[in-house]
Amino acid sequence: MAVGLQENSQLYPVPGVQLGVAAAGIKKPDRLDLTLLQLAPDTRLAAVFTRNRFCAAPVILARNHLRVSSPRALVINTGYANAGTGEPGIEDARAVCDGVARQLGCELEEVLPFSTGVIGERFPVERLLAGLSPCKADLKADNWLPAARAIMTTDTVAKGASRQIQVDGVTVTVTGICKGAGMIRPDMATMLAFIATDAPLCGPALEACLQTAVNQSFNRITVDGDTSTNDACVLIATGKADLPAMREPAGAAFSAVQQAVNEVTRELAQAIVRDGEGATKFISIEVEGGRDVSECLQVAYRIAHSPLVKTAFFASDPNWGRLLAAIGSAGIDDLDVSKVSICLDDLRIVQHGAKAPAYTEAAGAAVMARPEVGICVNLGRGNAAEMIWTCDFSYDYVKINAEYRT
Amino acid sequence: MAVGLQENSQLYPVPGVQLGVAAAGIKKPDRLDLTLLQLAPDTRLAAVFTRNRFCAAPVILARNHLRVSSPRALVINTGYANAGTGEPGIEDARAVCDGVARQLGCELEEVLPFSTGVIGERFPVERLLAGLSPCKADLKADNWLPAARAIMTTDTVAKGASRQIQVDGVTVTVTGICKGAGMIRPDMATMLAFIATDAPLCGPALEACLQTAVNQSFNRITVDGDTSTNDACVLIATGKADLPAMREPAGAAFSAVQQAVNEVTRELAQAIVRDGEGATKFISIEVEGGRDVSECLQVAYRIAHSPLVKTAFFASDPNWGRLLAAIGSAGIDDLDVSKVSICLDDLRIVQHGAKAPAYTEAAGAAVMARPEVGICVNLGRGNAAEMIWTCDFSYDYVKINAEYRT
């Protein structure tokens, strides 16, 4: 059950990007599971990948290919993560890239592979290869929503976001899709995100745009604190918009594009949390009054990862003692608890480190009953502030993850 | 449902310690909820407390009292943690200590208070005070099991452990009780433990004995990674055994006592995990081949805190990919994954960072079906090793914590 999230049917095509999908029967029959993106010549691409030491074969290959050439195609499969598969897994991923290169008439190194699904088992290469031809036949610019559907695993809603802006009188489009619902935490997780724009971003501007966007979106969400082997976020810039090249991350035109990319990535990142495995609540956690950003994030993630806090939200129980306990154990050794205050939305629940005088259980329960709740913690020791998003922890999280492979 | 855990009725009395319990109706009627320990004159006591910055009123008071006098009594209530209660909470705890002092004819500062239960609400002082008289009337040496029952909250089994050893021809007894099932992690949690011995431990020997014992027991367990505001572990040495005083942590006699205290604390700590909220499996995690103890613990806790690993154990699903992902994200940046191996009990599942050639899903499922499972990870980069204990993550964990206050 996704919280305040519906399929977004208004995903603008991005000139220079064509997408094709197929039901290749990779793991289950009659399910879209293979996606192909064809990119126009001269497209630039930046990517960030998982920091998990056990990174998947496609991650290794995609990184290598990015180093030696400009990508012309992306191929994405669900069902199998192709992680923990050793050298044979690398060979499998290479075979799929080779298949794509043959279909599209490009070099093997111009293809980036992405996989998501179960770790540790090899995928059926032949079925993937057989699915490439229908993918190619399906290639079109207006295929973002089918692609968003085709990359889903435990997601319940296809996730896409899109913006069109005017830059110096020229329409610029930013469209992105992503997948992910569990195993989510900062520095990427079982998460794949593909964002494209026709803005002529390149060089440092392209890299900076992606980093900035990711840091305020995918690196500010957590579902369960687990980090996956396959995470990747890709920013594609086709340069088809009739604008001068943007090489440096500065200036009004760049800022406008950055803003649009920020909005798209933040909407996508929040969509992942809204569709968090078993989620019944969408929770914003803001920590302010910190000495620096790092300690604000430390406290925010301590709260977001506390199973006791998460189950209390599931129960709509304003058990603020669990918030206190989480804050107190976040590792700030010199925290003066008498300066800490906490609000739930507009309701002050803790003041000077203890229950706020005017607080009542009834008022707390009323706020907790909302499907979207904001926690605001003030540490009372500085001016730094940070915000992250997470969800609650329900029976269904256990069910989904206990039955994932059955 | 506790895993391989039954009430232990063979808890030897410790000369110099008398215990009394009562149903004081603190939060629920007809339930043992108040416990008094009276200690013989000249008893020595060492204690470690929670490191949570939001520590409870009784923790603050107990620390202060320990600084100025030798305790003659301990008073323990369930129902309310008396944490997040500000200055009024301190006054409440002091009033209870004062009541105990009057009952037993000692000084207020010679009483140490302990509380466990809901955070943020004041406890009913009058009911606690009224319960002291029946507690006093109940005082006897052979009351450890009733006391273990009286300190339970979400525990399903009363937890006690006991050893008798011969030291230089003299019988020495070590008996302990504890409570705790959720909000458990190293550096103490919603956990109270009281261990007593008649060995004449004092000064540095007493402190060292407690630290050593705690580090190999209560600081090596985790249920949900949450740290509470009230944790405490107390080691009482009455000195009633007819042996020379043990002041320094050295020598055969001290070693024998340390060994017995280690055994009792480890059994108690493991009992907490076996009775972990919703636990259906008792999981030992050994990490060896690390460069140092710190990185072994880092990997072990990363595994133990992964909701995905814990739900897979609940499902008896040998989803070893989740183990790989947890190890890979434990923060060892220069980990060579091709040197990592993993065993489940005697079954090798991962070798050279990928599925072991001889491994089969059927063999994995057979091991995972056991109620007690050992994970052994070899990092292949050194000679350090560490071991911790945890449990799985079930529907019942969510149920217990979602409904805790209803």
Side-chain angles (χ1 to χ4, degrees), chain A residues 52-53 225 302 317 325 328 405, chain B residues 52-53 225 302 317 325 328 405:
Chain A
N52 195 305
R53 291 296 305 161
R302 187 77 188 86
D317 176 5
R405 302 205 309 173
Chain B
N52 195 305
R53 291 297 304 162
R302 188 76 186 88
D317 176 5
R405 302 205 308 173

Side-chain angles (χ1 to χ4, degrees), chain A residues 52-54 183 225-226 302 306-308 311 315 317 320 322 324-325 328 333 335 337 361 395 399 401-402 405, chain B residues 52-54 120 183 225-226 302 306-308 311 315 317 322 324-325 328 333 335 337 361 395 399 401-402 405:
Chain A
N52 195 305
R53 291 296 305 161
F54 280 98
M183 229 192 203
D226 269 298
R302 187 77 188 86
S306 160
L308 291 173
T311 47
D317 176 5
W320 53 270
R322 293 184 182 174
L324 281 198
D333 286 338
L335 181 70
V337 299
E361 280 281 306
Y395 294 119
K399 185 176 163 69
N401 284 296
R405 302 205 309 173
Chain B
N52 195 305
R53 291 297 304 162
F54 280 98
M183 230 192 202
D226 269 298
R302 188 76 186 88
S306 160
L308 291 173
T311 48
D317 176 5
R322 294 183 180 174
L324 281 198
D333 287 338
L335 182 69
V337 299
E361 281 281 307
Y395 294 117
K399 186 176 162 68
N401 284 296
R405 302 205 308 173

Side-chain angles (χ1 to χ4, degrees), chain A residues 169-299:
Chain A
V170 175
T171 299
V172 168
T173 302
V174 179
T175 296
I177 57 174
C178 73
K179 61 97 18 190
M183 229 192 203
I184 298 295
R185 85 181 252 140
D187 305 328
M188 307 294 104
T190 309
M191 193 211 85
L192 299 175
F194 305 95
I195 299 108
T197 179
D198 52 354
L201 293 167
C202 58
L206 179 63
E207 296 289 341
C209 183
L210 177 63
Q211 279 302 337
T212 301
V214 164
N215 276 341
Q216 56 94 56
S217 58
F218 300 112
N219 279 351
R220 289 292 179 278
I221 59 172
T222 182
V223 170
D224 50 19
D226 269 298
T227 307
S228 119
T229 49
N230 290 58
D231 303 335
C233 177
V234 167
L235 177 59
I236 296 160
T238 64
K240 293 291 180 194
D242 189 16
L243 287 164
M246 302 176 186
R247 181 170 298 277
E248 297 305 322
F254 173 80
S255 292
V257 173
Q258 176 78 67
Q259 175 66 23
V261 174
N262 283 354
E263 286 179 23
V264 166
T265 51
R266 191 175 276 209
E267 191 173 325
L268 291 175
Q270 291 188 357
I272 288 176
V273 172
R274 291 177 186 280
D275 199 17
E277 286 171 349
T280 72
K281 290 213 163 61
F282 177 74
I283 306 166
S284 311
I285 305 177
E286 184 172 15
V287 177
E288 56 184 34
R291 289 218 182 116
D292 52 42
V293 161
S294 148
E295 73 176 31
C296 291
L297 287 176
Q298 201 174 322
V299 171

Side-chain angles (χ1 to χ4, degrees), chain B residues 44-115:
Chain B
R44 311 302 173 101
L45 187 148
V48 289
F49 295 99
T50 180
R51 294 189 197 164
N52 195 305
R53 291 297 304 162
F54 280 98
C55 63
V59 169
I60 295 169
L61 214 59
R63 274 205 195 107
N64 288 346
H65 288 184
L66 261 179
R67 253 180 239 125
V68 296
S69 64
S70 292
R72 295 296 312 280
L74 277 55
V75 58
I76 309 145
N77 75 275
T78 63
Y80 296 87
N82 195 7
T85 44
E87 189 56 39
I90 301 273
E91 287 311 313
D92 292 345
R94 204 188 311 270
V96 172
C97 290
D98 183 58
V100 173
R102 286 166 194 273
Q103 287 281 345
L104 302 183
C106 64
E107 300 297 317
L108 190 158
E109 290 76 17
E110 293 173 333
V111 182
L112 304 185
F114 300 86
S115 298

Side-chain angles (χ1 to χ4, degrees), chain A residues 119-155:
Chain A
I119 298 174
E121 295 171 38
R122 291 177 65 181
F123 59 42
V125 178
E126 292 308 321
R127 269 178 268 166
L128 267 81
L129 291 175
L132 293 176
S133 173
C135 272
K136 182 188 173 190
D138 188 48
L139 283 172
K140 49 182 172 279
D142 194 14
N143 234 352
W144 283 92
L145 185 56
R149 289 182 189 137
I151 63 175
M152 288 164 65
T153 55
T154 57
D155 308 65

